[in-house]
Amino acid sequence: MTDHSHSPDAIAARIGAPPGRGVLRDIVYGGIDGSVTTFAIVAGVAGAGLSPFVIVALGLANVLADGFSMAAGNYSGTKAELDNIRRLRVVEERHIARYPEGERLEVREILAQKGLSGDVLEQATDAITANRENWVALMIEGEYGLGSVDPHPMRAALATFAAFLVAGMIPLLPFLFGLAEAFTVSAWMTGAVFFAIGTMKSFWSLAPWWRSGLETLAIGGAAALIAYGVGLLFHA
């Protein structure tokens, strides 16, 4: 866990500009899916006994097309989330304009559930409702459970695509370089990527690095085994 300063200026700067969720979810999401889907194609085609050229062609098509598709999907999903937050802000602004006393009671209830009571509760309610922007922000968080920092659709899309591209190319490298036992090397390299992604996740969680790595390795390995088994059914 990273220590940070608790000086008044540092606290004001940190609380005043929270980072939001960042791109960790998008990177992990894109990296795992890139490795899983590309190696699933490699495993399926190899299981069917087709040539390395076919493996590379299908793998590259997957990395580019599926990576773009995932990025576009993440962009659209994140933008929909952003649009919903903006819609709710308009709804709350309209409610505050039309039903100020009812909305003030909602603010009071939100603050009461956070542990305030008595004169402090009344003073805090008055302070929040005296500023329209703060009032709406509290309602978005307290009534709808949404964060105060808006998501960034393009940043999420680019992070997903970059992670998918990097991780998705790993299973193809042994075939691109014409290595002997390319499939075996690809399997080991892909397993290492799964484990590395899981290990990376542990830096932002309480799980031990080895457990997080093994969990991701198991998920990716299961997908690869399924694809390879399907490929074996079509082996000439």
Side-chain angles (χ1 to χ4, degrees):
M1 182 177 293
T2 302
D3 292 331
H4 51 223
S5 173
H6 287 89
S7 67
D9 289 342
I11 291 174
R14 188 164 59 249
I15 301 302
R21 76 181 191 191
V23 296
L24 174 64
R25 185 188 71 171
D26 307 305
I27 291 174
V28 172
Y29 178 49
I32 291 178
D33 199 81
S35 298
V36 168
T37 58
T38 305
F39 186 72
I41 289 174
V42 169
V45 176
L50 301 180
S51 69
F53 177 80
V54 175
I55 292 176
V56 172
L58 292 179
L60 286 175
N62 172 77
V63 168
L64 295 175
D66 199 19
F68 179 81
S69 176
M70 279 195 62
N74 199 10
Y75 174 86
S76 297
T78 307
K79 188 174 183 300
E81 180 183 354
L82 179 60
D83 290 342
N84 184 50
I85 293 173
R86 289 171 175 168
R87 179 187 66 83
L88 292 175
R89 284 199 177 110
V90 172
V91 169
E92 284 305 311
E93 288 172 355
R94 184 168 63 246
H95 286 178
I96 289 172
R98 293 181 178 178
Y99 318 108
E101 287 306 314
E103 292 296 309
R104 187 183 184 283
L105 289 176
E106 290 184 356
V107 169
R108 188 179 185 280
E109 179 60 25
I110 291 170
L111 296 176
Q113 292 189 12
K114 292 181 180 295
L116 277 64
S117 61
D119 291 340
V120 173
L121 173 59
E122 301 304 329
Q123 292 169 9
T125 301
D126 291 340
I128 292 292
T129 56
N131 183 292
R132 183 63 61 90
E133 185 176 343
N134 291 338
W135 192 344
V136 172
L138 182 66
M139 297 303 297
I140 293 295
E141 178 185 354
E143 187 172 1
Y144 300 102
L146 298 175
S148 59
V149 180
D150 291 340
H152 299 275
M154 184 56 68
R155 185 173 67 182
L158 292 175
T160 299
F161 183 73
F164 191 103
L165 189 65
V166 171
M169 285 298 298
I170 299 298
L172 298 177
L173 293 180
F175 298 95
L176 286 171
F177 289 107
L179 300 181
E181 300 294 332
F183 177 71
T184 301
V185 176
S186 176
W188 281 104
M189 291 178 66
T190 305
V193 172
F194 290 148
F195 190 81
I197 293 174
T199 300
M200 182 189 73
K201 287 194 305 177
S202 71
F203 288 102
W204 288 272
S205 74
L206 298 177
W209 63 269
W210 55 268
R211 180 182 297 170
S212 182
L214 289 176
E215 177 186 77
T216 306
L217 176 61
I219 294 171
L225 286 174
I226 292 172
Y228 187 72
V230 173
L232 286 176
L233 297 176
F234 297 93
H235 194 286

